[in-house]
Amino acid sequence: MLDNANARRSVARFVDPVAKLLLKLKVTPDGITWFGCGITVFIAIAFLAQGNFLIGAILFGAFSLIDLLDGTMARMLGTAGPWGAFLDSTLDRISDAAVLCALVYFYVNSDAANSQLAVVAGIISLVMSLMTSYARAKAESLDAKCTVGIAERAERNIIVWIALLISGLFTDVMPYALALLALVSTITVIQRMVFVRKQLVKQA
C-alpha cells in the first residue's frame, strides 16, 4: 500500500527485521508478493463485499506492510530486478481492482443512501486507477518519464482505508470517498497525459 520512497524509509526499521526473519525461514520475495495479493483479494471478498468495513479496514491496514517486504527481501538477497518489479506491479493491479470491485458489489446490492453514487464513482475509480498505471507503463516504453500525479497508489489506498475506518466506526462516507477517488484518479491520468505529451512532442 505504501509505495513512495519517503514512506518506505520511515518504516524500514520495522520492515527489515521481519524481512530477515522470513528469509531465514526460506520464504521467497515472490511468495510474499503472491501472498499479499491473495490476502487483499480475500479481505475484499470476505469483508468489503459484505459491508464489514471496520474489520476490512483493520485487516487492510495490518497487511499493508506486506507491500514493503518483498522488495526489501529481494534487495537483501541481491535478486531485485525486472521480474520482481513486473510481478509486483501486475499483482498490485489485481489487488486494487479487487478492493474497488468488492465495494461496487456491496453498493449494487445495498439500499444504503447514495449507493448509486458509490457504484458510478467506484467504476470510474477502477478504470482511472488502471489507466494511471497504464499511462506510466506506456510512457516508459516510449522512453518518457511519467512520475507525476496527485494520486498514485499510496494516496488512493489511504483514501480507501480512511473511508473504511470512518464508515465502520461512525457513518458511511464511502460513496463520497469513492467520488473523491474518481476525481483525483482522473486528474492524475490527465496530468500524466499532459506531462508525457510535452516530452514526446519535444522528441519528435
Side-chain angles (χ1 to χ4, degrees), residues 1-15 65 68 75 152 154-155 158:
M1 184 183 298
L2 299 171
D3 55 23
N4 62 63
N6 290 331
R8 288 178 184 273
R9 283 194 293 269
S10 68
V11 298
R13 58 180 177 175
F14 303 106
V15 172
L65 293 182
L68 304 179
R75 286 190 291 273
E152 296 192 30
E155 290 78 15
I158 287 171

Side-chain angles (χ1 to χ4, degrees), residues 51-55 57-58 161-173:
N52 296 319
F53 291 166
L54 180 57
I55 299 176
I58 293 171
W161 181 75
I162 291 175
L164 287 172
L165 200 59
I166 294 174
S167 297
L169 288 172
F170 304 107
T171 187
D172 185 12
V173 298

Side-chain angles (χ1 to χ4, degrees), residues 67-152:
D67 275 0
L68 304 179
L69 278 173
D70 51 3
T72 300
M73 293 167 65
R75 286 190 291 273
M76 287 178 174
L77 287 174
T79 59
W83 162 248
F86 172 81
L87 180 66
D88 187 59
S89 180
T90 301
L91 296 187
D92 279 350
R93 304 292 78 75
I94 295 175
S95 298
D96 295 346
V99 170
L100 290 172
C101 286
L103 292 172
V104 169
Y105 175 86
F106 170 72
Y107 284 103
V108 164
N109 295 283
S110 171
D111 58 358
N114 299 308
S115 58
Q116 187 173 1
L117 171 64
V119 171
V120 174
I123 292 172
I124 295 173
S125 298
L126 173 61
V127 172
M128 289 304 168
S129 68
L130 295 175
M131 284 303 301
T132 298
S133 301
Y134 174 79
R136 179 171 180 174
K138 184 61 179 180
E140 291 176 348
S141 75
L142 299 171
D143 296 321
K145 294 181 180 179
C146 190
T147 55
V148 300
I150 62 172
E152 296 192 30

